[in-house]
Amino acid sequence: MVLGFDASTTCAGWAIYDGKDIVDAGFIDISKINSNKEKSLHIISIIDQSSYISEVKQINLEAALLGFKFGRTNQQTIIKLIRFNAVFEYIISEHWKIPVNLIGASTARKKVFGKARITGMNGKEFVRKQIDELFPQLHKFDKINSRGNPDSKNGDMYDAMITSMA
């Protein structure tokens, strides 16, 4: 089994893939936790509750953003993300003693969907559309917000699903 993560400094999407299907998935809000170490340990404490964690033999972590995204990402954000990813990668590899593979978002999307994007559509929209078309059963893991709508953080979980399948 493969545990996939799309981890940022505010939310961590995660999914466990058994080679045929996603068997467990979700997202963890870490926006109110201050240190990178504490964020990482909180994520571990949630994932350790999954009945599948003992069967995981590999971890795929979406690689930190390495460049500017059409003016939407500044230098400080990239540095903050890289620092978090480095700490997170180290802590999870030490905790579970499982190899961690860094996988770029585009690479994962190409492996699973055959392409990384559609012109005019952002990455989260593209992944959601592809999941709607190819893997509609995965919506069973969706969380609904207090207004009765799908939570926007489901997008991080979808990215983790793709990362686990790559």
Side-chain angles (χ1 to χ4, degrees), residues 9-140:
T9 58
T10 59
C11 183
W14 64 276
I16 299 176
Y17 179 63
D18 71 0
K20 291 181 265 174
D21 200 11
I22 300 293
V23 295
D24 205 357
F27 61 81
I28 304 162
D29 185 340
I30 53 174
S31 61
K32 293 183 174 48
I33 302 172
N34 291 324
S35 78
N36 291 336
K37 179 181 176 182
E38 290 303 314
K39 288 174 191 263
S40 300
L41 294 174
H42 180 69
I43 293 167
I44 288 169
S45 74
I46 301 297
I47 303 300
D48 272 344
Q49 295 174 30
S50 172
S51 59
Y52 299 99
I53 191 62
S54 63
E55 299 174 54
V56 170
K57 303 293 180 227
Q58 177 181 319
I59 299 171
N60 289 349
L61 174 61
E62 188 175 285
L65 183 67
L66 296 177
F68 299 103
K69 301 272 285 187
F70 309 109
R72 294 187 310 233
T73 307
N74 66 35
Q75 186 178 20
Q76 293 293 30
T77 301
I78 292 171
I79 291 168
K80 188 175 180 182
L81 210 84
I82 290 170
R83 287 181 63 210
F84 173 70
N85 260 26
V87 170
F88 185 59
E89 178 188 0
Y90 175 77
I91 290 175
I92 63 177
S93 68
E94 287 297 306
H95 176 78
W96 285 308
K97 306 292 186 211
I98 299 172
V100 177
N101 301 310
L102 296 177
I103 298 178
S106 292
T107 301
R109 292 173 190 159
K110 284 178 190 171
K111 279 187 170 182
V112 176
F113 302 134
K115 57 186 170 183
R117 58 185 299 248
I118 294 175
T119 304
M121 186 181 290
N122 76 34
K124 297 272 187 210
E125 289 175 288
F126 171 73
V127 170
R128 188 185 70 243
K129 182 179 185 305
Q130 294 297 309
I131 285 176
D132 290 347
E133 292 175 10
L134 302 172
F135 307 108
Q137 73 277 14
L138 296 181
H139 287 295
K140 68 184 175 190

